[in-house]
Amino acid sequence: MKLYQSYISVVIALIAFSNAQAQVEEESELNGGTITVVKPYDPTISDAFKVKSTPSVNDTTKVKKKPVTYSIFSVPVASTFTPAKGKLSRRKAPKRAKFFDNYARLGVGNYVNILGEFAGNFEIDRDSDVGVFFNHNSSQGGIDDIAFDDDFSDTSLDISYGKRNRDSNWGITAGGRYQTANWYGVAPVALSSVPTGIEVDAGTSYLTIGLSGKAQFFDSVLEKVEVGLSNISSGNDGSETRVRLQPQLAFEVLEEEIALGVEVDYLTGSFDTQGSLPAPDAYSYLNIGANPSINLYGDKYKVELGARLNYITDSENSESNFYVYPDINASYILMEEKVIAYTVIGGGLDMNTLQNFADENVFIAPAITVAPTNRQVDAQLGIKGKLSSNFGYKLYGGYSLEENRYFYTKDNNAIFTGIGVERPSYNYANTFATQYGDLNTLTFGGSASVDLNTQFNLTLNTQFMSYDVTNGDDFDNVASQLPTFTADIVGNYDINDKWNIGTTLYFVGERDVFRIGNTTATETLDSFIDLNLDINYKINPKLTAFLRGHNLTGGNYQYYLDYPVQNLQILGGAVYKFDF
């Protein structure tokens, strides 16, 4: 009952206050007076219980409401204005570039250089497709003042199949590659031994076949796995087979990301034909490795702590070794985006292969020494960042220590003593051998990139190297064929929707090269600049014409000792893009 009475008392108090406030406002408006509120009324629950009766209004001044009348004076106005109906304004969307699944490229140039490419993608169903890629690059040669032919060719074909589903993606690739070249780099001291009036076939070749597969798994401890099988054989009865298995695992321990990479790498090869510098007839290595790592993150830092462990066996020499290397990647933000300090401290066991040597220097001898390199330390410290939205940079210094590192040394006219036997084409001081020593390298470098807009970008890279070779007494501890300075500039400019121009400029500093054979010597190759231009004109969305200029400034410089390259090269052709 008391609660009910209290409720009535509160309601009465609020009504009384509202009537009083309304009357004050009315007087203020009509009489032009000013009311000053010293303290606004702020009722509480306890105040309501003090009200014992309904308050009465004791107003000494009664003001009558003044009547207010309104009148409208309406005058008709003649108007000829007719408002137009509003229309919805729409922004014209930019025209999207048309992308095609396939393309074919064909180009022809001087030295009878021929370039051919084809890339095709065939969709089998929604989740699977087949890809085909073909590449051919050849030349009939024509370099002046050389003893043998200098034609070459490089042809490859890859066919792949890919499958995608909710839990994983996987694919397999089968391919082949055929390379041909000539040992035309005869040393000056051996030119007198080249027969006159007789054509010497100085050709060499390599055939590679391979099968590889890759699978990626989602929401699984096994993140991905890669497998590969390849074989390379030379025209001089050299052969090499390699089998690789590389699973990658990822999981969490105490809310920390842990990664574990595993590698099984088997390499075996043999040579039936020896060059001027004897090499082992066969080699066989089994490398088993593991790469655990943990990722640590903070507001300003990121650290990947890891290690590489390798156990390798040399079956031919009945030897085995165990190696442990650091694997650390760290970065710290000094100034947001502008200055980021970073360091990389690593190492590893590099499996040198006949395939890698043939790709890097096709002028190697029929038989070479193939052995792994123990990269004990490979460290880099530097800063990088973006000073503005269109300018990035990187400055660094590095140090590496490699044990049993390979060097290319040049044959220097070994004596041929065969009687009544045709002299082999690789016995004219025209091949390279691989010899091994320990290499310490100190590196300083930098790079800068400029992207003024989507139409223009430019990148500059430079590197200074200082070498110290030990345990290479057979070649006088010379860092043979290694440059002390390199630089390159790569640029691209879209002039308009039709025209595009790209350029690359390479600078390679001087290189010392060691000659082996009857007499030994160290020669220095001159530095060179190689400028290349690539001009493209889009005739229509499907057809583009191109014109390329290679070695516009270098002349017949020598990258490898005694092997001058082709001079100014011009190649033109077209690219056709299409869908099946």
Side-chain angles (χ1 to χ4, degrees), residues 442-445 462-466 484-486:
L442 185 64
T443 305
F444 295 98
T462 60
Q463 265 194 336
F464 299 85
M465 283 78 65
S466 176
T484 55
F485 176 73
T486 61

Side-chain angles (χ1 to χ4, degrees), residues 110-130:
N110 61 332
Y111 293 99
V112 196
N113 292 341
I114 298 176
L115 172 66
E117 290 180 3
F118 171 79
N121 184 73
F122 307 89
E123 186 176 294
I124 297 177
D125 54 42
R126 182 178 178 181
D127 298 321
S128 60
D129 52 27
V130 172

